[in-house]
């Protein structure tokens, strides 16, 4: 390269003597240097030479000279190789203008340059401009009649392909049939042009999801090529290459595997086991194995391809990096995440160092890398790469491009995992709004986006927002999936949860009943999801005071837990406690007390006397004893709980301690143990004053009511009046607070 650089600088210096006889040899030598640079992917240096050549030829020979137009053509090729289609289009436009000056607007040569510009526009995604140019060229060729029949056919073919890309499929199909008929008349049914036209028609059918018809055409083409040239021939190999992905698309995987193996053998015979064509065919075969679930075979072939590419391609070749990313996908699918990350980092570094415009590939590789980091819970690395990939996608494709939007879901899931719910909510709503606008409510990705919004809003406990989205999604799923589909039932369950959290128990009961009926029919009775729905419905029935129904369903649930988990399991005991609570609500206090005593005995034996579950069981039994007027037994239990909490250092401001103090207040007041009751009330009031910012707290008012009962029991009329005045102030403040809230 050092020697080459010296030679290059010498030839660049000769640009100053671009005169007469010195011009052609200098021009040709510089072109040879530029071509060598291009072949080694030194794009910037090659472009520099072409730019200088064009500038000098333009000034010395004019824009209509062979040298100027030839340099433009080479610059178009240079940018096309780098996939810089926008720049290639600019130079091809200049070339078209030169041809219009040289040959005229209606010449055959000018039309061909139009078709070339249209081809570049097609690659750049500028399909509207592409089709306009092709129609213009076709119109001119058709005006020449029979003398330009072949050019007319070529223009039609290119237009057909552009329409297929643009998804104007009805017109493309009509045009393709017309081309096939014309080619058959001109070249016969087995002519190469006819077979190419049939191939284009098959592509249109493929795009129309008519894979069966496309396969018939591809198989017919393959049969003709094989009969004409034999199995081991490039034309036959090409026909196989066209048929293979259609087999894959139609899920004809056995046929695809058989054809893929044949294709590998043919390619190895024609081009050798290390030929570029053979590598491409091996890659196709890996895709067949991947689609059929043979992931290890797919990975092994990709590893073979990558090893060969490293061997035969020059360092830094874009195809090598692409193979790395594809192999990384296979490693990822097999759970080999470290291997995937290593390849993704290597490919990313290569793309960034390349002279080519690899922005799209860099964006996708960064996103894939984020997914890999996410999989191995490297959450900070995953977050940074997700955010980088989405930022690049917004810049390259726009905020409202579907490829950008579909990248938001994994980042939203990550934000949810790290408790960044507001950020997750923003992404979820952005996705939903796009999908609704682009595809409507009943599109699968819209439904998925709506489900994500519900997940995030429920995590934020924004139940009203979640309810609205859940109702909308439930209606959509009922339309698209039916009333009894698993997804529909799951959404009915989520909506019931939203309603339950908002105390809309009547509507929640109806939905839970529907869900439970479905699960009883389609799942085993002891299925976890069935049991969860039963528990939720029991809760709602209790809140609606439908105690007989709640008791019957709870007994069924208790029987299942006792049978599957055992009578002393924590879940069984929790269900027994709910049964006792229902008996309590039905004022069946002896039955409730007996059951609660059984629960407490088991809790002490299995968890110990000081476990939080045991303390809760003691408090439940104390409440029931209080209702039975067994004040001493109730006080003994509650005092024991208080002692344990004090020994554990639980502050009076803690809710569990306040609960214990509150039950003791009620017991002492009911037993007319006024001094003890006064101590508990004073403790509660002191605790509730800590951190209190304003008056009107309902718990404070309740404690003052207890204080009034104590003062009245002790016969202290003056204190009764004082407490009543305090209660009046608190209640007045409470009413003002309510008024402000409504305002």
């Amino acid at each position: 390269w050092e020697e080459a650089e010296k030679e290059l600088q010498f030839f660049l210096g000769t640009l100053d003597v671009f005169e007469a006889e010195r011009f052609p040899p200098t021009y040709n030598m510089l072109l040879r240097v530029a071509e060598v640079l291009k072949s080694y992917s030194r794009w910037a240096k090659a472009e520099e030479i072409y730019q200088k050549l064009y500038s000098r030829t333009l000034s010395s020979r004019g824009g209509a000279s062979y040298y100027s137009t030839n340099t433009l053509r080479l610059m178009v090729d240079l940018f096309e190789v780098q996939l810089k289609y926008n720049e290639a289009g600019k130079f091809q436009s200049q070339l078209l203008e030169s041809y219009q000056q040289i040959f005229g607007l209606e010449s055959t040569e000018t039309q061909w340059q139009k078709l070339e510009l249209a081809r570049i526009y097609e690659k750049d995604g500028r399909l509207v401009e592409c089709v306009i140019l092709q129609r213009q060229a076709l119109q001119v060729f058709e005006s020449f009649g029979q003398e330009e029949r072949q050019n007319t056919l070529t223009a039609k073919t290119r237009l057909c392909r552009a329409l297929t890309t643009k998804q104007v499929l009805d017109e493309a199909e009509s045009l393709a049939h017309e081309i096939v008929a014309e080619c058959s008349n001109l070249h016969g049914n087995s002519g190469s042009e006819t077979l190419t036209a049939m191939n284009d028609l098959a592509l249109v059918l493929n795009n129309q999801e008519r894979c069966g018809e496309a396969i018939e055409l591809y198989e017919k083409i393959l049969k003709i090529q094989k009969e004409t040239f034999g199995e081991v021939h490039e034309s036959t190999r090409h026909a196989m290459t066209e048929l293979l992905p259609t087999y894959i698309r139609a899920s004809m995987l056995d046929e695809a595997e058989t054809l893929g193996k044949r294709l590998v053998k043919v390619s190895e015979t024609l081009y050798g086991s290390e030929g570029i064509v053979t590598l491409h065919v091996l890659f196709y075969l890996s895709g067949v194995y991947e689609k059929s679930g043979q992931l290890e075979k797919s990975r092994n072939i990709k590893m073979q391809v990558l090893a060969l590419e490293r061997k035969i391609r020059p360092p830094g070749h874009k195809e090598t990096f692409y193979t790395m990313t594809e192999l990384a996908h296979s490693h990822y699918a097999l759970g080999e995440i470290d291997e995937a990350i290593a390849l993704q980092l290597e490919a990313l570094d290569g793309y960034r160092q390349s002279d080519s415009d690899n922005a799209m590939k860099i964006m996708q590789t960064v996103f894939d890398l984020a997914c890999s980091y996410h999989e191995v819970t490297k959450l900070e690395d995953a977050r940074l790469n997700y955010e980088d990939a989405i930022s690049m996608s917004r810049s390259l494709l726009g905020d409202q491009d579907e490829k950008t939007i579909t990248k938001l879901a994994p980042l939203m899931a990550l934000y949810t995992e790290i408790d960044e719910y507001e950020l997750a909510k923003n992404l979820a709503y952005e996705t939903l709004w796009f999908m609704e606008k682009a595809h409507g409510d009943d599109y699968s990705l819209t439904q998925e986006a709506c489900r994500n919004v519900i997940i995030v809003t429920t995590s934020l406990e924004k139940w009203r927002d979640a309810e609205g989205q859940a109702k909308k999604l439930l209606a959509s799923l009922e339309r698209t999936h039916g009333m009894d589909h698993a997804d529909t039932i799951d959404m009915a369950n989520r909506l019931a949860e939203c309603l339950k959290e908002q105390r809309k128990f009547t509507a929640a009961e109806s939905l839970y009943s529907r869900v439970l009926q479905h699960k009883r029919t389609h799942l085993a009775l002891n299925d976890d999801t069935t049991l969860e729905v039963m528990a939720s419905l029991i809760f709602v029935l209790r809140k609606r005071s439908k105690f007989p129904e709640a008791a019957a369903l709870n007994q069924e649930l208790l029987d299942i837990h006792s049978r599957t988990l055992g009578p002393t399991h924590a879940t069984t005991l929790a269900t027994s406690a709910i049964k006792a609570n229902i008996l309590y609500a039905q004022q069946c206090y002896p039955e409730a007390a007996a059951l609660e005593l059984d629960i407490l005995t088991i809790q002490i034996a299995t968890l110990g006397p000081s476990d939080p579950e045991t303390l809760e069981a003691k408090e439940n039994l104390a409440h029931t004893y209080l209702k039975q007027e067994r004040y001493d037994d109730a006080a003994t239990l509650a005092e024991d709980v208080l002692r344990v909490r004090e020994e554990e250092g639980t502050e009076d401001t803690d809710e569990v301690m306040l609960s214990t103090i509150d039950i003791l207040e009620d017991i002492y007041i009911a037993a007319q143990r006024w001094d003890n009751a006064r101590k508990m009330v004073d403790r509660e009031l002191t605790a509730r004053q800590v951190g209190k910012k304003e008056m009107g707290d309902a718990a404070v008012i309740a404690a003052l009511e207890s204080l009034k009962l104590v003062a009245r029991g002790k016969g202290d009329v003056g204190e009764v009046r004082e407490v009543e005045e305090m209660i009046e102030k608190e209640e007045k403040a409470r009413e003002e607070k309510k008024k402000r809230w409504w305002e």
Side-chain angles (χ1 to χ4, degrees), residues 392-436:
M392 284 187 274
S393 188
R394 291 187 192 280
S395 175
L396 292 167
L397 303 173
D399 290 333
Q400 295 302 302
D401 185 89
E402 190 152 343
K403 290 179 181 176
T404 301
I405 296 298
T406 53
K407 286 179 171 56
L408 302 182
L411 180 56
M412 186 212 72
L414 175 65
Y415 283 152
T416 304
E417 288 177 44
I418 61 176
D419 298 333
E420 294 277 9
Y421 292 112
E422 283 295 334
L423 293 175
K425 183 191 74 172
N426 294 340
L427 293 181
Y429 272 115
E430 182 181 354
T431 305
L432 177 59
W433 291 332
F434 172 86
M435 291 300 174
E436 285 178 338

Side-chain angles (χ1 to χ4, degrees), residues 292-363:
S292 62
Q294 300 179 68
L295 299 181
E296 290 187 0
K297 281 188 176 180
S298 175
R299 176 203 59 195
N300 293 343
I301 289 177
K302 289 178 184 177
M303 290 174 72
Q304 178 186 348
V305 172
L306 180 59
L308 288 172
E309 290 202 337
R310 290 185 191 276
K311 181 179 178 181
I312 65 176
R313 292 193 190 275
H317 197 282
K318 61 182 181 181
E319 291 295 332
T320 308
F321 301 139
Y322 176 75
T323 305
M324 287 177 189
T325 59
E326 288 299 308
L327 176 55
H329 289 160
S330 293
H331 282 308
Y332 182 92
L334 287 164
E336 299 163 355
I337 309 301
D338 290 340
E339 291 86 344
I341 290 173
L343 284 166
Q344 287 160 346
L345 287 171
E346 185 180 355
L348 189 58
D349 185 54
Y351 280 140
R352 284 174 170 159
Q353 291 185 25
S354 171
D355 288 339
S356 300
D357 182 4
N358 293 312
M360 291 292 291
K361 292 185 175 67
I362 290 170
M363 174 196 69

Side-chain angles (χ1 to χ4, degrees), residues 186-203:
L186 274 173
H187 308 289
N189 291 332
S190 58
S192 60
E193 293 84 353
T194 307
L195 297 181
T196 301
M198 290 168 64
N199 198 79
D200 289 339
L201 175 57
L203 181 60

